[in-house]
Amino acid sequence: MAAWNGAVYFVGLGPGQGLGLWRTDGTPTGHSLVATLNASISGSVTSANVAISNGRLFVCWSYDSRAELWSSDGTAGGTSRVRAVSSPGSEFEFADLVGTSQRLYFRVQERRDYDPSALSTLWSSDGTEAGTAPLRRRASPAGILIHTTHIVGNAFHFITDDAVHGAELWRSDGTPGGTGIVREIRPGSDGIVRRRVAHPSAVLNGVEYFFADDGTHGMELWRSDGTAAGTFLVKDIRPGVEASKEPGSSVVVLNGALYFTANDGEHGIELWRSDGKPDGTTLAMDFVPGAKGNYMYQLTPSGGRLLFISSDEEHGVELWTSDGTAAGTALVKDILPGPQGALESTFSLVSTPGGVLYFVADDGEHGPQPWRSDGTPEGTYLLAEVQPGSTEPDYELSLAAVGDTLYLAARDSAHGRELWKSDGTREGTVLVKDLNPGPPGSEPILESLTRLGNHVYFFAYDSAHGFELWKSDGTETGTVRVTDLRPGPASGVLPYGWLVSAVLLQGVDAAHGVEMWMTDGTPAGTSLLADLNPGPSSSHPGNLYLVGNQLLMTADDGTHGREPWAIPVPSADRIAPVLVCPAATEAQASEPSGIEVSYASATATDEQGMASVEYSHPSGSRFPVGTTVVTVTATDKAGNRQQCTFEVRVAAPSIPPDTAEGCSCRAGSDSGTMGSGLVWGLLMLVASLGARLHRG
């Protein structure tokens, strides 16, 4: 699901309407069908995702061997098929959307479990039909292997196998001419990484760091700035042809340094730190002395420190913390004393902006329960016993953070699996509502959790309505089913569908097959973006990335097989900036004509970048006595405008002492004193009239 233009959009199955795009404003009567995507579908859909890109809404769905992308402006007339993203007899899924300020990059992967020959292809797009072209072209329709990595500057770095060099590091600016191999790290066809194996990497100070095997040093830490000269081995941590990288290794950035796990052959698998230089790449902590080493899982920056799951012979698997030094690396808390350990290596660590980490642990007394930690022993404790009596690891205890609030899908014997929330305290960890009364539970899907205003939206189940869209403000009375799209016990939404904002979508029609479409929010502004496979055959676009004004994707044009493409996307930003004016400013004039007044600046934010701000009366200019209304106007790059106002209040100057009532008058100066008071009074009258005219 996705929040867009004050509403939440999602994919659902309506009675007699098939698969459709729906919208809701969060009220029981505020939901409606936007458009039907496929009227013939009545059963479960493999996947359905909604996303926002460049101010437009995109919908992709898959059913059996069909996968389609649609575009919508939020109206029936503005909703149309872009193109299909799968070939007959095959299924594809989207992965690794990465954006730059210029282009979108993404990966499309064929769905073949554990099959190394499954296709995985990179796409690129700038959003226009003229700019839609594969990043790489091959005569064979077999496609290419992709390991997506990172955006470095305005370029996309990725690992690909072109059947000549093997899997090597490539760079692309989203154009065919700007796409090429960075450096052949390992000459020949073997490549620097194994096929279909996770490829951890990170970006620090505009340089990508990754593991590669050059055939001489084994799998070691490398760096690249996108040039051949700037691509080289950082350090041979384990000298010789043996690799220092072990399965499950990851790379993260914390406080200006890289952290990763490696095996130097002497200490075993341990935590390492690097500043990107050979001398600055060192062992951070030797958890288990000797060559045995120790695995570290879920490296997670939180609160300026690194938190992770690790183990030693004394404590077992527990939560650890490190500031990057041996002295600053320690066990956070021995939750379950003894060598058994309280955590599972597969449990996720969920961090919040406030520096609090949430995780699941078993202290041996309460069973697997939600815990929190700020990286200190006293700040690490059991939140609540949400599933009393549990003894086995509960992999269905899901955690998701929205801001600093934790939401949980937890199971207990009285309610089944229901929605809980926590503010990080024991007292603040509570059941939100028993949506499906009784032990079966509502099975809330936190993967779809989306925030809009003061509510979170999610999919959940009850026996009378099936899976439907719900919303919650965190209170029992404020947690309600938004609508019953498909009346009766049959589900109206896909449990694992997405709610996201977008402007591009996959769509299908008889003339073009499954292609990319786009919309500006009006029927007249909704059109086919590109017919990559001309006619009704479909190019099946997938793995969509919107980067600036370009759509990067994979597609099959019927000639080159599934390859990366870049399509220019015209701007469709119709959302005005968010503008907040300062409070009223008060000042006192020193003379009747007014005073120069400086005031605080208004703040303007825009989803698409910077917004310019103009004031009807600039700060520091002269303001007359009285109240002046200042109008502030924010304008974004697309020309959308937002205004707000505030007041500048200037008080009249104080009356001089010799003109005050009861003043002492010197002999022989009556006329002069009277004349001075009269002149002063006239000046005050003129100032007052001027202020009134200014306000008018």
Side-chain angles (χ1 to χ4, degrees):
M1 67 182 74
W4 186 50
N5 288 344
V8 170
Y9 289 81
F10 59 98
V11 176
L13 293 167
Q17 297 163 316
L19 189 70
L21 174 65
W22 292 74
R23 77 181 296 276
T24 178
D25 61 7
T27 65
T29 60
H31 64 276
S32 60
L33 175 69
V34 176
T36 298
L37 304 177
N38 190 310
S40 64
I41 295 178
S42 59
S44 298
V45 179
T46 305
S47 65
N49 306 316
V50 185
I52 294 192
S53 176
N54 243 11
R56 305 189 57 154
L57 191 68
F58 288 85
V59 182
C60 66
W61 59 269
S62 61
Y63 178 74
D64 288 339
S65 62
R66 299 186 62 183
E68 298 183 358
L69 178 67
W70 287 63
S71 173
S72 177
D73 60 5
T75 68
T79 302
S80 55
R81 184 181 68 88
V82 178
R83 72 181 304 163
V85 297
S86 59
S87 301
S90 299
E91 294 185 24
F92 289 84
E93 57 188 2
F94 311 113
D96 301 330
L97 277 72
V98 180
T100 70
S101 61
Q102 305 273 326
R103 311 186 72 86
L104 175 72
Y105 299 85
F106 55 93
R107 183 163 58 89
V108 172
Q109 181 170 304
E110 190 176 13
R111 298 184 63 187
R112 292 189 201 165
D113 293 340
Y114 310 111
D115 185 350
S117 67
L119 308 183
S120 181
T121 309
L122 180 70
W123 280 66
S124 166
S125 174
D126 67 2
T128 67
E129 187 169 1
T132 301
L135 294 179
R136 294 272 291 86
R137 293 181 181 269
R138 292 183 63 190
S140 168
I144 56 179
L145 168 72
I146 293 294
H147 284 284
T148 350
T149 52
H150 283 283
I151 296 299
V152 181
N154 287 325
F156 181 60
H157 287 200
F158 57 97
I159 305 293
T160 186
D161 183 351
D162 64 357
V164 175
H165 303 92
E168 290 285 352
L169 179 67
W170 287 61
R171 176 188 184 277
S172 176
D173 62 6
T175 66
T179 302
I181 190 170
V182 176
R183 171 183 168 180
E184 190 174 11
I185 296 174
R186 183 170 186 166
S189 59
D190 288 339
I192 61 174
V193 296
R194 294 174 57 192
R195 296 177 62 89
R196 319 298 284 181
V197 173
H199 179 69
S201 60
V203 176
L204 175 64
N205 298 328
V207 175
E208 181 184 10
Y209 293 86
F210 57 98
F211 288 99
D213 184 353
D214 62 1
T216 302
H217 301 93
M219 190 71 69
E220 296 289 350
L221 184 66
W222 284 64
R223 56 96 72 192
S224 178
D225 61 4
T227 67
T231 302
F232 49 82
L233 176 71
V234 175
K235 184 174 184 176
D236 190 7
I237 295 174
R238 187 169 188 170
V241 296
E242 291 191 73
S244 68
K245 177 186 177 294
E246 296 282 350
S249 296
S250 58
V251 184
V252 298
V253 175
L254 176 69
N255 298 333
L258 297 165
Y259 291 89
F260 57 96
T261 53
N263 184 351
D264 64 0
E266 178 182 351
H267 301 90
I269 305 169
E270 298 290 356
L271 181 66
W272 285 67
R273 179 186 186 277
S274 177
D275 61 3
K277 301 176 181 178
D279 293 342
T281 303
T282 58
L283 182 69
M285 175 65 181
D286 189 5
F287 285 90
V288 179
K292 182 178 179 180
N294 186 43
Y295 281 94
M296 279 142 281
Y297 303 94
Q298 314 290 341
L299 298 181
T300 306
S302 180
R305 297 179 64 85
L306 188 68
L307 294 173
F308 53 93
I309 299 173
S310 190
S311 66
D312 61 16
E313 293 181 354
E314 179 182 354
H315 304 97
V317 182
E318 295 283 356
L319 184 68
W320 288 71
T321 181
S322 178
D323 63 1
T325 67
T329 302
L331 175 72
V332 174
K333 187 172 186 175
D334 193 5
I335 296 174
L336 177 59
Q340 182 177 350
L343 279 72
E344 294 281 338
S345 61
T346 55
F347 284 166
S348 297
L349 304 182
V350 178
S351 61
T352 67
V356 176
L357 186 81
Y358 296 99
F359 57 98
V360 176
D362 183 353
D363 61 2
E365 178 182 354
H366 302 92
Q369 303 291 349
W371 285 63
R372 62 93 74 187
S373 177
D374 60 3
T376 67
E378 57 275 10
T380 303
Y381 51 80
L382 172 71
L383 280 180
E385 193 173 0
V386 298
Q387 40 192 25
S390 175
T391 58
E392 296 297 326
D394 186 357
Y395 296 98
E396 293 186 340
L397 179 55
S398 302
L399 310 178
V402 178
D404 286 324
T405 300
L406 176 71
Y407 287 90
L408 310 90
R411 184 185 305 280
D412 65 19
S413 58
H415 306 96
R417 192 166 187 252
E418 291 289 354
L419 183 69
W420 292 62
K421 74 166 187 177
S422 177
D423 61 3
T425 66
R426 290 189 176 94
E427 298 77 13
T429 303
V430 296
L431 173 71
V432 176
K433 187 174 183 176
D434 190 3
L435 304 184
N436 188 27
S442 67
E443 300 292 335
I445 308 298
L446 298 193
E447 287 80 358
S448 65
L449 198 70
T450 299
R451 182 176 182 176
L452 177 61
N454 295 323
H455 289 80
V456 292
Y457 290 75
F458 58 96
F459 297 138
Y461 171 88
D462 67 26
S463 57
H465 307 92
F467 274 100
E468 295 289 351
L469 178 64
W470 290 69
K471 73 170 184 178
S472 176
D473 62 1
T475 68
E476 182 176 2
T477 57
T479 302
V480 296
R481 188 179 61 256
V482 175
T483 180
D484 187 9
L485 291 183
R486 195 177 187 183
S491 298
V493 298
L494 305 173
Y496 289 92
W498 291 1
L499 282 165
V500 193
S501 300
V503 297
L504 302 173
L505 56 90
Q506 293 170 313
V508 57
D509 63 14
H512 305 95
V514 183
E515 296 289 351
M516 287 296 302
W517 289 66
M518 70 174 295
T519 179
D520 64 0
T522 66
T526 301
S527 60
L528 180 71
L529 182 62
D531 191 6
L532 301 184
N533 195 348
S537 298
S538 303
S539 68
H540 304 288
N543 285 35
L544 310 179
Y545 286 77
L546 187 63
V547 183
N549 63 346
Q550 292 199 87
L551 176 67
L552 302 182
M553 63 183 184
T554 57
D556 183 352
D557 63 1
T559 302
H560 303 94
R562 182 157 293 276
E563 294 287 348
W565 288 71
I567 307 175
V569 177
S571 174
D573 180 12
R574 292 176 178 251
I575 302 175
V578 176
L579 181 63
V580 179
C581 271
T585 299
E586 297 182 351
Q588 183 166 17
S590 57
E591 53 188 60
S593 61
I595 189 174
E596 293 181 357
V597 179
S598 297
Y599 50 76
S601 299
T603 59
T605 56
D606 187 71
E607 292 183 355
Q608 305 298 326
M610 299 291 292
S612 62
V613 179
E614 297 181 348
Y615 300 85
S616 60
H617 302 75
S619 179
S621 60
R622 196 171 192 83
F623 285 81
V625 173
T627 299
T628 301
V629 177
V630 179
T631 300
V632 185
T633 304
T635 307
D636 64 17
K637 294 179 180 179
N640 302 304
R641 301 175 66 195
Q642 184 67 272
Q643 289 186 330
C644 65
T645 61
F646 66 97
E647 295 180 348
V648 174
R649 304 164 188 161
V650 177
S654 301
I655 300 175
D658 63 351
T659 65
E661 184 178 354
C663 66
S664 308
C665 298
R666 290 170 296 174
S669 62
D670 290 350
S671 61
T673 302
M674 291 179 62
S676 174
L678 179 61
V679 171
W680 185 260
L682 289 173
L683 287 174
M684 292 298 298
L685 177 61
V686 170
S688 177
L689 289 173
R692 293 181 182 178
L693 290 173
H694 185 83
R695 290 197 300 271

